[in-house]
Amino acid sequence: MHQEETRASTELAGHTTGEQLARTRAQECRARAERQRSSLPPELRDTGRLAARQREVAQFADAYSDCHAAASAAALAEEEYRRAASSANSDAHAAGFPDATAALDACREESWIVDTEARLMAHRDDLVGVRSRLANPQLAVDPDTPTPVAEREVDALAARQRHESAFTEAARANDRARRLSDLAPAFAEAFAAIPPLREAAEELRGLAELAAGRGGNRHGMPLSSFVLAARLEEVAAAASGRLSAMSGGRFTLVHDSGERRDRRRRAGLGLLVEDAWTGRRRDTATLSGGETFQAALSLALGLADVVTAESGGQAMDALFIDEGFGSLDPDSLEEVMNVLDDLRSGGRLVSIVSHVADLRQRIPTQITVVKQAHGSHVRTTIP
């Protein structure tokens, strides 16, 4: 225990002595530092300015380091450039150029290269074709054989004239094409106006077809026939009374307004005979010769009656009948003459041209043509 206390006291004394030595050295260091500080220039005594100067020096050192690195890189790049330029010049010489600059000037774009290669290929093909044709033995020319220059000049002149003629025709064709191009808008406008005109034309054509008795006209009756049919109906009604008197009440005329049964006859302009004895209607073609004459005379008289009625009462004072009486039997002739006598009694002049001898007894006033060897003459008989 005593030894430990002694050792501790010794160590404590040692520590105290060391502390005193440290303090002494610290004081000496401070004194030496103060002396050194007093020997420094004034600008280095200020610690703030010293720190700023240190920073400037550090920045300068960094800049110098960067500059040195850049200079090294530039030197390396220059060396690589010299090697590349030397290699480029060598390659240019090998390719037949004086230097790399001339080779660079000879460079072309890709499109130019492709086009030139295509032209070269076409030229090679043409060259092969020409050489093949020139190799033909028929084209071999003997240099000692004289060439017919005059004939070739004539051929050349004819070819030149054909060329000029073709050029003129081409110019004319171009002019026609230009004029056609100028007319195209007007043509398009006119073509666009065709549909409404076509519709109007179709409508007018439909009306014309109907008026002509064609197309949708189910009766096949043109407009003129329709008008005539109305007039014929009036004439038939007026003639029926005359025919009934001539035929002893047997026949009357009826207007046939039905569809046509014969393509050669127009619909609406037909007449039928109504036979009172049979109670049927039949075609006028079934009448005998005398009956046909009676029907024709009745129609003529009926037409005269209709015209007189529609002309303001102005009568047709004269009636001329040429032949037809020879086909009548005595009874029919008597009935016809009775009708004619009624007309004459009504103030009309009835003139009959006939060779029937019985009429001479019925007609007192006559104009007779007498034939003789030296010529014919007229004899008039007036009671």
Side-chain angles (χ1 to χ4, degrees):
M1 184 67 178
H2 178 71
Q3 291 177 353
E4 292 178 359
E5 289 178 356
T6 302
R7 189 172 53 255
S9 297
T10 302
E11 290 178 359
L12 178 61
H15 285 306
T16 302
T17 302
E19 182 178 357
Q20 290 177 353
L21 289 175
R23 288 177 180 175
T24 301
R25 289 178 180 176
Q27 290 176 356
E28 290 176 356
C29 288
R30 290 192 189 96
R32 190 169 53 253
E34 187 64 28
R35 287 193 301 270
Q36 290 178 354
R37 180 180 180 184
S38 60
S39 63
L40 290 174
E43 62 273 10
L44 297 179
R45 297 177 185 176
D46 188 357
T47 57
R49 294 178 62 185
L50 182 60
R53 185 64 179 272
Q54 288 177 347
R55 288 193 296 272
E56 292 177 359
V57 171
Q59 293 175 356
F60 177 77
D62 293 339
Y64 176 79
S65 178
D66 294 340
C67 182
H68 183 269
S72 299
L76 181 60
E78 184 177 1
E79 180 63 24
E80 291 179 355
Y81 169 75
R82 282 196 298 270
R83 288 197 300 270
S86 177
S87 177
N89 288 327
S90 299
D91 294 340
H93 281 294
F97 294 98
D99 52 21
T101 302
L104 184 62
D105 293 338
C107 291
R108 295 293 184 269
E109 296 181 356
E110 184 67 22
S111 59
W112 184 90
I113 295 174
V114 173
D115 180 65
T116 303
E117 289 179 350
R119 290 164 57 191
L120 287 174
M121 184 65 68
H123 175 71
R124 293 192 188 98
D125 295 340
D126 294 341
L127 184 60
V128 171
V130 171
R131 287 177 176 174
S132 176
R133 288 191 291 272
L134 291 177
N136 190 346
Q138 296 180 356
L139 297 179
V141 178
D142 186 3
D144 297 331
T145 302
T147 302
V149 178
E151 296 179 3
R152 297 297 179 266
E153 289 179 349
V154 172
D155 295 340
L157 178 60
R160 186 179 298 107
Q161 292 175 350
R162 290 194 298 271
H163 173 266
E164 293 176 354
S165 177
F167 185 80
T168 303
E169 290 297 327
R172 292 177 181 174
N174 291 332
D175 182 65
R176 288 194 293 269
R178 179 185 56 79
R179 286 184 291 174
L180 289 175
S181 178
D182 295 339
L183 292 175
F187 175 78
E189 182 179 357
F191 187 78
I194 288 178
L197 295 177
R198 182 184 290 114
E199 293 179 1
E202 290 294 335
E203 183 178 358
L204 292 176
R205 186 171 65 178
L207 293 176
E209 291 289 329
L210 290 176
R214 298 186 296 270
N217 192 330
R218 60 186 181 86
H219 296 292
M221 182 188 301
L223 182 61
S224 58
S225 298
F226 179 79
V227 176
L228 292 176
R231 182 57 54 86
L232 180 60
E233 187 174 0
E234 297 178 2
V235 173
S240 291
R242 307 283 188 181
L243 181 58
S244 178
M246 293 180 189
S247 61
R250 180 181 178 182
F251 297 125
T252 55
L253 292 174
V254 180
H255 174 235
D256 182 13
S257 59
E259 296 183 358
R260 59 182 178 182
R261 289 173 290 274
D262 188 352
R263 292 184 178 272
R264 295 171 298 178
R265 300 175 59 185
R266 291 185 177 181
L269 297 181
L271 287 174
L272 296 177
V273 176
E274 187 169 0
D275 192 344
W277 290 2
T278 61
R280 296 181 179 179
R281 294 180 180 180
R282 53 194 175 97
D283 197 334
T284 55
T286 62
L287 295 175
S288 64
E291 293 170 346
T292 301
F293 174 75
Q294 291 176 352
L297 180 59
S298 300
L299 286 173
L301 297 176
L303 178 60
D305 293 339
V306 172
V307 172
T308 299
E310 293 189 359
S311 61
Q314 185 176 359
M316 298 180 64
D317 296 330
L319 178 64
F320 292 87
I321 303 174
D322 186 8
E323 296 297 346
F325 293 92
S327 60
L328 299 177
D329 56 65
D331 294 336
S332 298
L333 179 60
E334 182 67 23
E335 292 174 351
V336 170
M337 292 305 299
N338 290 335
V339 173
L340 296 179
D341 287 340
D342 292 340
L343 292 175
R344 186 172 56 83
S345 300
R348 289 185 179 179
L349 173 64
V350 179
S351 176
I352 298 175
V353 180
S354 178
H355 296 85
V356 178
D358 293 342
L359 293 179
R360 298 176 184 176
Q361 307 299 326
R362 296 289 304 267
I363 303 174
T365 303
Q366 301 177 5
I367 299 176
T368 306
V369 178
V370 180
K371 295 181 180 180
Q372 295 179 348
H374 57 276
S376 301
H377 67 277
V378 176
R379 183 178 65 243
T380 303
T381 303
I382 300 176

